[in-house]
Structure formats: structure tokens, C-alpha cells
Amino acid sequence: MTELRFKEIEHKFVVGGDFDLAAFRGALAALAPLRHVTLRVRDRYFVTEAGRARGFVIRHRHDRELHELTVKSVAADAEVRDEVNVALRPVDQDAQVEAFVAAQGLVWQGELWKDLEVWHFADCEVVHYTATAADVVVRCVEFEAVHQASLDGALAVLARFEAATGFAGTSRTQASLLGLMWPHVASGLTLGA
């Protein structure tokens, strides 16, 4: 698993306001998740000089379960990306994060809120959320493979959950959430392969 230790492997589907969330919940409940939780999450995104040149973004997430700083690569297809999470203390550290990012040459920053539901399984995390930033609203379903030893294994996990919830054969978006919410920012980054 060290090969995928700092990789995020996920499929994201943009859904409309008419998405049948009740049927989706029912399909996931039938799969017996280990845990199901609803959260309101604040994500702050930062692009630094190095991030713009090397194709990564820094995310600061703070909710009632997580407080972390993340470096995520930005790619033309967000299916497989680098992702390194650093856990922070569970207290407000906004000023420290802002100083940390400013020291790296802050180019851009943005904030969004996500109202989400997460279903945790041994090999997959499934999320439905509504993300809001100013007047932009995006609704998504994400399937993220976890604890996998290979890319093929991870993609098989995603396919299994997509089939079980009616997403098999549906076109996923290749854009990251950054690209969906702020396409002008994502297009200004050097994209990885």
C-alpha cells in the first residue's frame, strides 16, 4: 500500500438538485456501511507561488471531526491525485495557517462550505455534498477507494460501488472541486499528468 499511500483515487459525479438522494441513501444502507455521518465542513483553498508553478493547492479543512492541512495535486483528470494530509490540533488555527501559507507567497485564496453525508466502508468512502462559495453551488457524489494496494484494486472498488448505487455507465467529471467552483483558478495552475 505504500505505492498509494499519498494518493487519492476517486470518481466524482456532478448531480442536480433533483437527484434522488433517498434512493441513493437506501442503496448505500443496503451495503451496510461501517459508519454514516452528516457534517457541515469549511474548506479554505490556497494557491501559492510554488503551487501555481508545480500544480498543487493547499486546503485547510476544519469541521467537528477533522482539522487538517492538505496538499493536493491538480491534474487534468482528478481520478488519481497526490494528496498529503497533516492533522492539526482541534482548535482554531486560522491565523497560523494563514501565516504558513503567506510565507510561501500567497497568490489566491477561496473558501467554500460543504453540507455533506459520508458513508464509510472498509474499502470506500462515499460522499454526497452540496458545496457553496459566494453564488456558486455544486452538488456532487464522490466515491473514494481507501486501503487499496493497487490502482487496479482501487478502480475495481469504485466500479463496485458505482454499480450498486446506479452510477455505472454514468459520465463522471474529470474536474476537481477547485476546478468546479473556481475554474479560472484551476486553469492558472500547471497541471500534472
Side-chain angles (χ1 to χ4, degrees), residues 4 39 54 65 92 130 170 173 188:
L4 299 179
L39 294 167
R54 297 185 61 212
E65 291 193 351
D92 180 6
T130 301
T170 303
T173 182

Side-chain angles (χ1 to χ4, degrees), residues 91-147:
V91 297
D92 180 6
Q93 292 185 277
D94 284 1
Q96 290 88 337
V97 168
E98 289 162 10
F100 177 85
V101 172
Q104 299 175 56
L106 181 63
V107 174
W108 175 88
Q109 65 182 335
E111 178 179 274
L112 63 83
W113 288 89
K114 289 198 291 193
D115 293 300
L116 54 82
E117 272 187 85
V118 185
W119 293 264
H120 296 273
F121 297 89
D123 54 357
C124 192
E125 290 180 3
V126 182
V127 183
H128 172 270
Y129 62 81
T130 301
T132 307
D135 59 346
V136 178
V137 177
V138 175
R139 292 173 183 82
C140 294
V141 169
E142 293 179 358
F143 300 91
E144 181 178 350
V146 296
H147 312 300

Side-chain angles (χ1 to χ4, degrees), residues 134-181:
D135 59 346
V136 178
V137 177
V138 175
R139 292 173 183 82
C140 294
V141 169
E142 293 179 358
F143 300 91
E144 181 178 350
V146 296
H147 312 300
Q148 297 302 301
S150 71
L151 178 57
D152 287 343
L155 294 174
V157 166
L158 298 181
R160 192 174 79 246
F161 278 87
E162 289 166 12
T165 57
F167 278 88
T170 303
S171 293
R172 66 177 176 85
T173 182
Q174 293 184 340
S176 66
L177 185 57
L178 178 77
L180 292 171
M181 301 300 287

